[in-house]
Amino acid sequence: ENIAREFLDRLVKWTKNIKISDPFEEGCRLGPVVSGGQYEKVFKFISTAKSEGATVLSGGVRPEHLRKGFFVEPTIITDVTTSMQIWREEVFGPVLCVKTFSTEEEALELANDTHYGLGAAVISNDLERCDRVSK
């Protein structure tokens, strides 16, 4: 919790620099979602998150420079509770939920409170912590 504001500021700044374009264009870092149906699902997830009380901190819209295709700006959502759909289900779009925690134990509880598990990472300057938490 004590680094959340600085972390979010840096995260938003970083996502604003992601080049969103046709994947065949030089320097593209984010292309469209896979289909029109998935495009609609991503925006439905974002809309539901807002109606449930979450905050769309950044993104959550079609990029202004791309009028055709199924493009979604990288989206950062905060003020998320563990009961919200956006937290419980996989979006399969450029959407990131950020939830704060105050202790390592709370972080582990949040990370393990899912039946999904496609990928995870532990990032810290403390290698012993990385090893302990990843186990």
Side-chain angles (χ1 to χ4, degrees), residues 21-38:
S21 65
D22 181 315
F24 292 112
E25 189 175 308
E26 183 71 31
C28 174
R29 300 300 300 152
L30 180 64
V33 296
V34 71
S35 67
Q38 186 60 30

Side-chain angles (χ1 to χ4, degrees), residues 50-114:
K50 289 192 290 190
S51 72
E52 290 178 335
T55 300
V56 176
L57 186 65
S58 180
V61 296
R62 169 187 278 284
E64 290 184 19
H65 69 286
L66 296 165
R67 294 290 174 209
K68 292 180 2 180
F70 307 123
F71 294 91
V72 181
E73 280 189 8
T75 305
I76 302 169
I77 299 179
T78 61
D79 301 319
V80 178
T81 66
T82 58
S83 63
M84 290 179 178
Q85 178 193 38
I86 198 80
W87 183 263
R88 305 285 333 151
E89 298 181 25
E90 294 179 317
V91 178
F92 292 107
V95 178
L96 175 69
C97 294
V98 178
K99 181 146 181 51
T100 60
F101 56 90
S102 57
T103 66
E104 185 177 297
E105 292 75 25
E106 185 182 1
L108 287 169
E109 185 177 306
L110 289 167
N112 290 319
D113 183 25
T114 182

